[in-house]
């Protein structure tokens, strides 16, 4: 992976997060930060999985000060790299226990794959995952419903697209997730609302 690509990704991801952090810090209650990962840990993960992480994903894990509460629409909280790897192993084990990935008619069914890496979780057990497979969805962020399975339409084309979408939604009051809805995705656009306790909620846009 070229150093220039990493530098650009670091700048873009850091800039988008700084905008989000500034908005949340001025309006929401303080919360703990998600642990960041260093370059050695990221290199070890790449070596173990034999998959190169997209530059934006590396930049995401390296960021310090990422709030560990539910600020990602619909309502997802960022995970540490270690928690993400543990969750991936659990979901892979569940997929293996489910047996062959075809239904009774021989039609392939969705199963969790090693090339999907969680980055955030909802309180209900669903996740946001980054697609590490080669192809046009490489680096895209998808919803992984732990009951229905399957990827569907990307929530965002990349980590930075996610962060930019959230930043614009917070700064302008416009809904987030409009791009996903425009592609035919099932997730409704969401508006940011701060509740009486000082926490961010994402409500379906009218």
């Amino acid at each position: 992976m070229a150093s220039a690509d990493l530098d650009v990704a670091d700048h873009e991801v850091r800039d988008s997060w700084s905008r989000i952090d500034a908005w949340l810090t001025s309006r929401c209650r303080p919360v703990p930060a998600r642990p960041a990962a260093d370059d050695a840990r990221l290199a070890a993960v790449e070596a173990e999985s034999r998959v190169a992480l997209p530059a934006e994903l590396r930049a995401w894990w390296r960021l310090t000060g990422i709030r560990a509460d539910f600020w990602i629409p619909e309502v997802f909280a960022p995970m540490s790299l270690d928690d993400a790897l543990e969750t991936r192993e659990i979901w892979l084990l569940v997929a293996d226990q489910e047996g062959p990935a075809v239904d009774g008619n021989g039609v392939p069914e969705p199963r969790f794959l090693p090339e999907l890496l969680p980055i955030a979780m909802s309180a209900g057990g669903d996740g946001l995952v980054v697609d590490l497979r080669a192809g046009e969805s490489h680096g895209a962020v998808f919803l992984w419903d732990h009951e229905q399975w399957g990827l569907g339409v990307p929530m965002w084309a990349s980590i930075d697209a996610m962060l930019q979408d959230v930043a614009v939604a917070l700064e302008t009051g416009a809904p987030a997730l409009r791009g996903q809805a425009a592609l035919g995705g099932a997730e409704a656009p969401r508006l940011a609302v701060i509740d009486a306790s000082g926490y961010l909620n994402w409500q379906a846009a009218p």
Side-chain angles (χ1 to χ4, degrees):
M1 185 178 299
S3 176
D5 292 338
L6 290 173
D7 290 343
V8 170
D10 275 338
H11 174 75
E12 292 176 344
V13 170
R14 191 176 301 279
D15 179 70
S16 296
W17 166 247
S18 294
R19 293 163 58 194
I20 295 169
D21 188 39
W23 194 96
L24 294 175
T25 298
S26 67
R27 294 166 175 82
C28 298
R29 298 178 60 171
V31 297
R34 174 220 69 185
D38 59 23
D39 287 335
R41 181 72 177 111
L42 290 167
V45 169
E46 289 183 318
E48 291 167 7
S49 62
R50 300 181 181 178
V51 175
L53 301 178
E56 289 186 351
L57 185 56
R58 289 180 60 88
W60 164 260
W61 291 123
R62 291 171 58 186
L63 271 181
T64 59
I66 296 287
R67 293 173 63 98
D69 60 340
F70 296 91
W71 58 266
I72 305 174
E74 288 182 358
V75 189
F76 291 91
M79 308 169 69
S80 70
L81 179 57
D82 287 343
D83 286 344
L85 294 172
E86 181 179 354
T87 298
R88 181 174 66 176
E89 290 305 310
I90 291 172
W91 287 350
L92 287 172
L93 178 61
V94 171
D96 183 63
Q97 291 174 342
E98 288 290 326
V102 293
D103 65 17
N105 297 316
V107 177
E109 291 184 324
R111 288 289 186 268
F112 195 76
L113 303 171
E115 296 84 6
L116 302 177
L117 184 60
I119 61 166
M121 290 287 289
S122 73
D126 297 330
L128 294 178
V129 300
V130 172
D131 189 354
L132 303 181
R133 296 172 298 176
E136 62 180 29
S137 65
H138 180 71
V141 180
F142 289 86
L143 170 66
W144 183 262
D145 187 309
H146 76 288
E147 293 182 344
Q148 297 182 8
W149 296 16
L151 294 180
V153 174
M155 299 279 277
W156 295 278
S158 66
I159 290 285
D160 189 52
M162 176 186 78
L163 296 175
Q164 288 190 39
D165 188 35
V166 174
V168 170
L170 296 179
E171 293 170 343
T172 68
L177 287 172
R178 288 178 294 179
Q180 205 260 2
L183 293 173
E187 308 308 314
R190 298 278 168 166
L191 292 170
V193 178
I194 304 297
D195 67 21
S197 299
Y199 292 107
L200 173 64
N201 291 301
W202 291 95
Q203 298 181 355

